[in-house]
Amino acid sequence: MEYHSTSSNQSPAGFVLSDLCPLVLRFATGLTMLYFQAWYQSFRAWSYVWDKQSWSLVDQFEELGFGMPGIFATTLIALCAILSVGLITGIYTRICAFLMLSLVTFILIVPVELSGSLNVQALLLYAGCRY
């Protein structure tokens, strides 16, 4: 059986595209999730923890019957921010992508509203960009 390496079958432009496309998808997914979802909610979480201000996400989790909704909401937003930065920088990309997919699936299943711009279509696009 002959061995055919992929380097002889592809041109240098093919290598550049095969490396560039995942990079663009990582950046697009990470930056949009960080900017549109985690950024605003991170400030709300900070105000909730340090200034004891009310936070609609905590109220939503409390209505759904989650135990310790403040800790759960703060952890959810921290994970969203950390995983987005992990995708952008490329640190543990596959682990970050899997956890981000799990996070997006959770938000899709549980009826909570992170922001006005996050709807079912946006969640499915986030999930689809990773795999």
Side-chain angles (χ1 to χ4, degrees):
M1 183 182 292
E2 293 182 28
Y3 174 73
H4 297 285
S5 66
T6 57
S7 62
S8 64
N9 295 337
Q10 287 186 346
S11 66
F15 283 124
V16 171
L17 284 178
S18 67
D19 290 339
L20 186 64
C21 290
L23 178 72
V24 169
L25 281 176
R26 272 195 1 239
F27 269 57
T29 305
L31 285 174
T32 54
M33 184 62 109
L34 185 66
Y35 181 74
F36 288 112
Q37 311 310 323
W39 187 258
Y40 172 73
Q41 290 294 339
S42 295
F43 287 116
R44 301 286 304 192
W46 182 268
S47 298
Y48 174 77
V49 171
W50 295 108
D51 299 333
K52 304 297 183 209
Q53 293 180 359
S54 64
W55 186 16
S56 63
L57 189 61
V58 173
D59 297 336
Q60 291 175 29
F61 282 130
E62 193 172 340
E63 288 174 5
L64 292 172
F66 280 81
M68 296 186 283
I71 293 173
F72 193 78
T74 306
T75 304
L76 182 78
I77 297 305
L79 270 176
C80 185
I82 291 168
L83 294 175
S84 296
V85 170
L87 283 177
I88 294 167
T89 59
I91 299 172
Y92 298 113
T93 306
R94 290 180 188 221
I95 295 170
C96 288
F98 176 74
L99 292 175
M100 180 72 79
L101 181 66
S102 303
L103 181 104
V104 168
T105 304
F106 172 77
I107 295 170
L108 187 62
I109 293 171
V110 176
V112 295
E113 183 179 335
L114 284 179
S115 69
S117 65
L118 189 65
N119 53 19
V120 174
Q121 291 87 1
L123 285 169
L124 291 175
L125 283 174
Y126 283 131
C129 278
R130 289 314 315 148
Y131 294 102

